[in-house]
Amino acid sequence: MGGGATRLYSTLTQTLSSSPLPLPPPHLGPHPPVDTNLDPSFCQEQKQTDPAELLRQCEEALRDSPPRFHRKFTHLNDGDSAPSSPIRVMQWNILAQALGEGLDSFVQCPLEALSWSHRKYLILEELLTYRPHILCLQEVDHYYDTFQPVLADLGYSSIFCPKPWSPCLDVEGNNGPDGCALFFDQSRFEFLDSVNIRLSAMRIPTNQVAVVAILRCRSTGRCLCVAVTHLKARSGWEWLRSAQGSDLLRHLQNLLEKHTDRATGAPTSDIPLLICGDFNATPTEEVYRRFSASPLSLDSAYKKLSQGGLTEPEYTTWKIRTTGECCTTLDYIWYSQDTLRVDAVLDMPTEEQIGPNRLPSFSYPSDHLSLVCDFSFKEKE
């Protein structure tokens, strides 16, 4: 195993501090501060690691666990030749460690399966298996000590925005606040601009956030606007989710207009949007309808798995809590249908694969399933 992979593997296997971390300041650039709890030799090492080598090490660490879900891509080329360099995007609520062990009450999941010493390998295995160019995560409470340094050594730059009042901070032995994180492959994309947003409802700031970045594709020279968000959870807050969604759409429109003046001079409609998130909303909710009807001409990529491309999957989350079983669709990858094409969509695991105790489990580290799509730019007319 190469030196870089050895350092990464060592970082993953080390026992993480159980003392709470202070609330990190909002970070608006692609290079967050280094966590001083890490080995300095690891943090200063610039040599990139072989992802396949690190994946093998994760699989070795999980050798006594049940095998991961085997999921297949559905390709949607409609007879056209496959794109030469698709953009792979992953959306995933990875389940905050403090919430999984503390507040979320997954009654059918063994405590050992919820331990960070187990889950961190499963999470990284999922990321390394699909190796997205753009990675959008929610409920990230191990950003500074794990995900930022590990993924930086794999060639990713990143932006993190913690929740102002993260529920993780109420859990004894927490690792700091959870939040949204956006990672992108620096060999594929150039960073142009970003903003961290505290979402508002009727001009009142809420506890939910979003990260938005403007990137330029190095192979095509075309710009892309990417957003990651996590809207308010639970029944009874539908009106708040709708207001938060409207606020996010307004911010996106403003950022696109600002950017077109500075870069290519192209119309706002020529900069494609990708909006990834755990919306905590089923397709029947108003916030879903707002995104579907937005003048930004958005569509939901995972509808492509359905007959005729009209309906969402049956579920993106499946869990059992003390309040009962929940099997529903809450997670989405929205895209600009006029400027982006969906080339492939990763299918959902079956009920048999998920198992009777549902999620999370020894096989899967989160109560939400990852969404993975391949996109390409449509040719300009």
Side-chain angles (χ1 to χ4, degrees):
M1 183 167 60
T6 303
R7 279 183 292 276
L8 281 172
Y9 187 64
S10 175
T11 297
L12 286 169
T13 53
Q14 72 181 357
T15 301
L16 297 174
S17 171
S18 60
S19 59
L21 296 177
L23 181 70
H27 172 69
L28 301 180
H31 302 291
V34 171
D35 190 320
T36 55
N37 290 332
L38 291 178
D39 183 340
S41 64
F42 168 79
C43 297
Q44 294 169 10
E45 177 60 54
Q46 298 299 313
K47 181 180 178 182
Q48 287 192 17
T49 297
D50 177 12
E53 194 171 7
L54 184 56
L55 176 59
R56 286 192 294 272
Q57 293 300 317
C58 288
E59 291 170 343
E60 174 64 20
L62 295 166
R63 64 184 181 277
D64 295 327
S65 300
R68 65 178 180 85
F69 300 151
H70 289 281
R71 302 165 65 183
K72 296 181 179 179
F73 280 95
T74 296
H75 295 273
L76 307 162
N77 293 321
D78 299 325
D80 296 336
S81 59
S84 57
S85 55
I87 300 166
R88 177 159 293 179
V89 178
M90 176 183 279
Q91 147 61 30
W92 196 15
N93 179 334
I94 61 172
L95 176 61
Q97 184 59 30
L99 300 184
E101 288 187 307
L103 302 176
D104 273 352
S105 302
F106 298 113
V107 292
Q108 295 296 100
C109 183
L111 286 177
E112 295 87 351
L114 291 171
S115 69
W116 185 237
S117 61
H118 180 74
R119 291 184 63 242
K120 61 187 175 184
Y121 292 109
L122 285 173
I123 293 171
L124 193 58
E125 180 186 47
E126 185 88 348
L127 305 183
L128 291 166
T129 295
Y130 300 111
R131 293 176 61 182
H133 301 106
I134 296 172
L135 171 62
C136 297
L137 301 180
Q138 299 84 37
E139 294 198 17
V140 179
D141 63 347
H142 276 278
Y143 175 79
Y144 291 103
D145 61 2
T146 301
F147 293 109
Q148 189 278 327
V150 170
L151 292 175
D153 213 24
L154 293 169
Y156 288 89
S157 190
S158 58
I159 310 161
F160 176 64
C161 183
K163 292 178 183 175
W165 312 303
S166 168
C168 293
L169 298 175
D170 296 328
V171 178
E172 185 178 358
N174 68 79
N175 198 60
D178 75 302
C180 293
L182 190 157
F183 298 81
F184 61 92
D185 182 345
Q186 295 180 91
S187 69
R188 188 66 187 274
F189 290 99
E190 174 190 359
F191 173 84
L192 297 182
D193 194 12
S194 74
V195 61
N196 283 4
I197 301 167
R198 183 175 178 182
L199 297 174
S200 294
M202 297 181 290
R203 300 190 179 184
I204 299 173
T206 70
N207 193 37
Q208 279 64 49
V209 299
V211 176
V212 185
I214 301 281
L215 308 175
R216 180 183 284 125
C217 178
R218 296 186 188 275
S219 61
T220 65
R222 295 181 66 174
C223 293
L224 187 64
C225 180
V226 185
V228 51
T229 193
H230 188 187
L231 302 187
K232 174 66 179 174
R234 296 187 175 83
S235 177
W237 293 100
E238 291 82 2
W239 67 271
L240 182 57
R241 286 190 284 274
S242 179
Q244 290 175 335
S246 296
D247 191 45
L248 177 57
L249 290 171
R250 179 180 62 82
H251 278 285
L252 290 170
Q253 184 70 43
N254 290 342
L255 185 63
L256 289 176
E257 290 174 358
K258 166 192 168 186
H259 185 74
T260 52
D261 294 337
R262 291 175 18 179
T264 63
T268 298
S269 59
D270 283 355
I271 300 180
L273 270 169
L274 284 169
I275 308 170
C276 299
D278 174 358
F279 279 58
N280 275 307
T282 66
T284 61
E285 277 199 32
E286 183 179 357
V287 65
Y288 183 95
R289 295 194 295 271
R290 282 188 182 274
F291 273 70
S292 294
S294 165
L296 294 171
S297 187
L298 302 171
D299 200 6
S300 175
Y302 259 73
K303 286 163 56 179
K304 296 289 187 181
L305 286 180
S306 68
Q307 189 71 30
L310 299 176
T311 58
E312 296 287 351
E314 184 180 352
Y315 49 83
T316 62
T317 181
W318 200 340
K319 66 200 91 178
I320 301 175
R321 289 178 168 144
T322 52
T323 52
E325 187 165 356
C326 174
C327 175
T328 192
T329 293
L330 303 175
D331 309 272
Y332 307 96
I333 298 178
W334 297 92
Y335 70 101
S336 298
Q337 55 187 328
D338 295 338
T339 46
L340 289 175
R341 180 176 63 240
V342 183
D343 297 311
V345 181
L346 186 66
D347 67 10
M348 290 297 179
T350 64
E351 178 179 0
E352 182 180 8
Q353 285 178 295
I354 291 172
N357 294 330
R358 310 314 184 200
L359 304 172
S361 66
F362 277 113
S363 296
Y364 204 76
S366 177
D367 54 323
H368 290 253
L369 294 159
S370 65
L371 309 184
V372 185
C373 295
D374 287 347
F375 293 92
S376 57
F377 293 104
K378 287 185 175 181
E379 295 297 323
K380 293 184 179 181
E381 297 181 358

